[in-house]
Amino acid sequence: MRPASRRSRAAVAAVCGALFALITWQVVAHGPLRDADERLGRAVFRVVPDALTQPLADLGGMAVAPPVLALAAGWVLWRGREWLRAGAALLAMAAVPALVAPLKLLIARPGPLEPGTGWYPSGHTATAMVAYVAAAMLISPYTRRRWPMPVAVVLTVATGIGLVLRGYHWPLDVLGSWCLFGAVLVVLGSLGSGSAGVSSSGRRRSSSRTRTG
């Protein structure tokens, strides 16, 4: 990885981490940002029919998002033997419960419409972001057009919107997860970037198969 690229990745991770720290502080301290967040949430909860928002929220479920990442990891292992990149992506997914569960217990934020506490940060948001973005990062070198990442972003944003409109989470629950796991993906993506040479050989092998087939 080039030094400039390494610095830019570090800067992105630092910004995401700082934003997550700011949001978390406001949530814990009942600051003005949390007050605004709850006013916004109450204004938008259930304004769209559940039949539309529930499928969006379900995009972050364990039955939907992780299998997408598993398929992408299996694909790059089969096509390019990219153990490092696939391992980094799966490690990012493992970081979701490892980070989200203790934070939920520690912060114990009440939910907007559901009983109990432990709604910050949003686990469904984190699961969707890691699964779809990491899958896009894995398969992008094997696609002729740059469609995987835009699709991943749309799915991630749609999940967050669905969770908020359905009333499962406050907006900051979603935004906090985006910031936290934006940093995680950048860091683990840097670990996987060392297999660029393997990726190139995998793409050459793929191209060769296409020409001879």
Side-chain angles (χ1 to χ4, degrees):
M1 186 190 303
R2 297 177 180 176
S5 176
R6 191 178 297 115
R7 287 193 296 269
S8 65
R9 285 174 180 265
V12 171
V15 169
C16 288
L19 288 173
F20 174 71
L22 172 64
I23 293 169
T24 303
W25 165 56
Q26 285 291 294
V27 169
V28 171
H30 294 261
L33 193 59
R34 172 169 171 166
D35 293 338
D37 173 56
E38 294 182 357
R39 287 195 300 270
L40 175 60
R42 294 188 183 99
V44 301
F45 292 153
R46 311 301 282 273
V47 298
V48 177
D50 293 351
L52 297 177
T53 58
Q54 185 64 51
L56 297 181
D58 288 341
L59 289 172
M62 292 298 294
V64 180
V68 172
L69 178 57
L71 287 172
W75 173 260
V76 299
L77 288 175
W78 177 63
R79 296 301 296 267
R81 304 290 183 183
E82 298 192 55
W83 297 98
L84 185 58
R85 293 180 66 233
L90 296 176
L91 184 61
M93 180 56 70
V96 172
L99 294 176
V100 169
L103 285 169
K104 283 177 174 288
L105 289 174
L106 181 64
I107 296 170
R109 187 182 192 187
L113 300 179
E114 302 293 328
T117 60
W119 298 91
Y120 178 90
S122 167
H124 274 62
T125 300
T127 300
M129 182 179 190
V130 170
Y132 300 133
V133 173
M137 293 168 65
L138 287 175
I139 68 174
S140 287
Y142 296 91
T143 60
R144 295 182 179 180
R145 298 181 180 178
R146 298 179 180 179
W147 60 264
M149 192 56 70
V151 170
V153 171
V154 168
L155 291 173
T156 300
V157 172
T159 304
I161 291 174
L163 290 167
V164 172
L165 294 181
R166 182 63 178 78
Y168 288 138
H169 280 285
W170 302 104
L172 283 184
D173 300 346
V174 170
L175 186 57
S177 279
W178 283 342
C179 293
L180 174 59
F181 285 93
V184 170
L185 285 168
V186 169
V187 171
L188 292 179
S190 299
L191 297 178
S193 64
S195 61
V198 177
S199 176
S200 297
S201 65
R203 289 195 297 273
R204 287 195 298 271
R205 188 184 304 117
S206 176
S207 299
S208 175
R209 289 175 181 172
T210 302
R211 288 194 298 272
T212 57

